[in-house]
Amino acid sequence: MNESQPTATADRILDVAEEMFAEQGYRGVSVRSITLACGANIAAVHYHFGSKQVLLEEIFARRSGAINAARLALLAQCADQPGRAPLLEQILEAYLRPSFAQPSGDKGAKRFMRLRSVVAHEQAELSKNLIARHFNATSHRFLEAIAAATPHLALEDVCWRFHFLLGAHYYTLSNPGRIQALSGDQCDPADLEAALAEMIAFAAAGFRALPCDRSQMSFAPSSAQSA
Amino acid sequence: MNESQPTATADRILDVAEEMFAEQGYRGVSVRSITLACGANIAAVHYHFGSKQVLLEEIFARRSGAINAARLALLAQCADQPGRAPLLEQILEAYLRPSFAQPSGDKGAKRFMRLRSVVAHEQAELSKNLIARHFNATSHRFLEAIAAATPHLALEDVCWRFHFLLGAHYYTLSNPGRIQALSGDQCDPADLEAALAEMIAFAAAGFRALPCDRSQMSFAPSSAQSA
DNA sequence: GTCTATAGAGCGATAGAC
DNA sequence: GTCTATCGCTCTATAGAC
């Protein structure tokens, strides 16, 4: 009857910890409060995982596999064919959609995005290692695909713009309240399909822009424009 | 000789705390370590500020005034004239440049950007209040200016795209290491003029894009594209 | 205004009974 | 595998001498 839950307690801890870390930060959530919230004993985290940090690493490992697999599966379906969206838009959707929501309808992917953002700020060194271990390979696959679709850009430009996309992506899924405050509640951050469509349109246009020209700056300090 | 430093200790605490909070997080830095790092007594923070949180609020108050003033001064200089960059690019530069570096050459503006990002994740509620108090008015001025320069967009689209710009902006100044890892050290995050030029080109193109069309999605779950 | 000393609370982690 | 009890540590904040 319960052969499908050999370590039900460990799974419950992973679920609850992911949610609490994402919403209250890593340092802001104690091992005590995690076990209390999921009905386990205070010592359960250290029994199942060994330490608070290993628990965090297990959360990363569990999520990243599914997201990477979904991204690469969609990337494999991208094709420059008549009647479909332009290839660049397809690639961007293949990259972004799995971190908005999994096909199963699980909303945890979005929460995990906020968790990554939280950890990047609170545990910079650990975050660098985890992101590199779990996401570098897939990110580079997409960087290459985008570079191939934007032959007018030097690789350096592609990297900067992909970096900006990452920032917009993290911020949108991590700070859903900010756009409500900015727009006077006209934008609904819970409408993930709208956010995704807006982000793809914005980023695709950004990637298509001509390489920037630094001499076109209006207020550079050396040109003594103002003071 | 020292009439210019009536509260030298408080100023030193503000400087050191801003740097330590930005690099190690708010919860990750103790009042003890701040006072130790700036040679003050352990009790100095509570004598001068009353609490750790008020110290953080004073850091916000001190920086935000200068940044807002610089932004609005540059915005007032923006004009759609031949021989200058397009108006949209001018507005974006007026918004972004003061948070990359102040005219005085002070690098603290960039550090303060990372501090805001850190606090947004660790102290979500406090951050919301501080950001609204110090930045909402100026941000709305720029939202209006951008909206006027992009008459093809609904206000909702302008808000989403401004939100994406905020995300790219925060991420670039908060996670300088990520673009080095992504680009194989081809992009130099310390070259702030390059980052600024790239960001303006990317965002300006994004704002100029046509409104997005949600029916153009390639992998929406309801269309049963894959599984 | 600067210092020492400490209160009072919460933390991660562990030992050892069951 | 689950529990209680507790160790040893760090934290913010404060009291009170100088």
Side-chain angles (χ1 to χ4, degrees), chain A residues 110 176 187-193, chain B residues 160:
Chain A
K110 178 188 166 190
C187 296
D188 176 13
D191 186 351
L192 295 182
E193 283 295 321
Chain B
W160 274 113

Side-chain angles (χ1 to χ4, degrees), chain B residues 20 80 82 115 120 144 192 209 212 216:
Chain B
M20 295 181 75
D80 198 0
L115 173 57
E144 288 163 18
L192 295 182
C212 63
Q216 273 287 88

Side-chain angles (χ1 to χ4, degrees), chain A residues 93 117 121 157 198 218-219, chain B residues 93 117 121 157 198 218-219:
Chain A
E93 186 180 345
S117 199
H121 290 93
D157 295 314
E198 293 275 358
S218 302
F219 307 115
Chain B
E93 186 179 347
S117 197
H121 290 91
D157 295 315
E198 293 276 359
S218 303
F219 307 114

Side-chain angles (χ1 to χ4, degrees), chain B residues 10-217:
Chain B
D11 281 340
R12 249 172 32 239
I13 290 173
L14 284 167
D15 289 336
V16 169
E18 182 181 61
E19 178 172 356
M20 295 181 75
F21 286 155
E23 290 180 9
Q24 305 171 56
Y26 176 71
R27 287 192 170 104
V29 174
S30 67
V31 171
R32 280 174 160 76
S33 65
I34 295 168
T35 53
L36 189 73
C38 70
N41 184 268
I42 296 185
V45 165
H46 292 97
Y47 175 77
H48 288 287
F49 300 97
S51 74
K52 186 182 180 182
Q53 179 173 317
V54 173
L55 167 59
L56 178 64
E57 295 183 13
E58 289 297 316
I59 292 171
F60 265 73
R62 190 177 62 150
R63 283 276 174 211
S64 59
I67 291 178
N68 284 324
R71 282 176 166 165
L72 294 174
L74 292 182
L75 182 61
Q77 294 178 45
C78 292
D80 198 0
Q81 288 173 352
R84 300 186 61 177
L87 183 60
L88 180 58
E89 273 83 350
Q90 290 180 48
I91 297 170
L92 294 176
E93 186 179 347
Y95 185 78
L96 295 173
R97 182 175 287 282
S99 56
F100 277 71
Q102 293 292 90
S104 61
D106 182 8
K107 293 177 186 174
K110 178 187 165 190
R111 188 201 304 149
F112 178 56
M113 192 80 188
R114 176 165 169 93
L115 173 57
R116 273 178 280 171
S117 197
V118 163
V119 175
H121 290 91
E122 280 187 294
Q123 308 281 330
E125 201 57 32
L126 174 60
S127 166
K128 236 172 107 173
N129 294 338
L130 288 174
I131 295 289
R133 189 191 315 164
H134 294 293
F135 292 104
N136 262 7
T138 301
S139 290
H140 273 111
R141 288 282 303 275
F142 276 88
L143 254 182
E144 288 163 18
I146 292 170
T150 57
H152 64 295
L153 293 180
L155 184 57
E156 188 184 332
D157 295 315
V158 177
C159 288
W160 274 113
R161 294 173 194 203
F162 190 70
H163 195 251
F164 300 147
L165 172 60
L166 282 181
H169 184 199
Y170 272 114
Y171 191 69
T172 299
L173 294 183
S174 298
N175 299 58
R178 184 72 188 133
I179 193 165
Q180 283 185 295
L182 272 176
S183 70
D185 285 306
Q186 286 211 18
C187 296
D188 176 13
D191 186 349
L192 295 182
E193 282 295 322
L196 184 57
E198 293 276 359
M199 197 179 299
I200 290 170
F202 181 83
F207 277 111
R208 289 202 179 92
L210 292 178
C212 63
D213 177 3
R214 283 172 64 164
S215 70
Q216 273 287 88
M217 295 290 236

Side-chain angles (χ1 to χ4, degrees), chain A residues 56-75:
Chain A
L56 178 65
E57 295 183 12
E58 289 298 316
I59 292 172
F60 266 72
R62 190 178 62 150
R63 282 276 175 211
S64 60
I67 291 178
N68 284 324
R71 281 176 165 167
L72 293 174
L74 293 182
L75 181 61

Side-chain angles (χ1 to χ4, degrees), chain A residues 152-226:
Chain A
H152 63 296
L153 293 180
L155 183 59
E156 187 185 332
D157 295 314
V158 177
C159 287
W160 273 114
R161 295 174 193 203
F162 189 71
H163 194 253
F164 299 148
L165 172 60
L166 282 181
H169 184 200
Y170 272 114
Y171 192 69
T172 299
L173 295 183
S174 299
N175 300 60
R178 184 73 187 132
I179 193 165
Q180 283 185 294
L182 272 176
S183 70
D185 286 304
Q186 287 212 16
C187 296
D188 176 13
D191 186 351
L192 295 182
E193 283 295 321
L196 185 56
E198 293 275 358
M199 198 179 298
I200 290 170
F202 182 82
F207 277 112
R208 289 201 179 91
L210 293 177
C212 63
D213 178 1
R214 284 173 62 164
S215 69
Q216 274 287 89
M217 294 291 234
S218 302
F219 307 115
S222 58
S223 68
Q225 183 86 14
S226 61

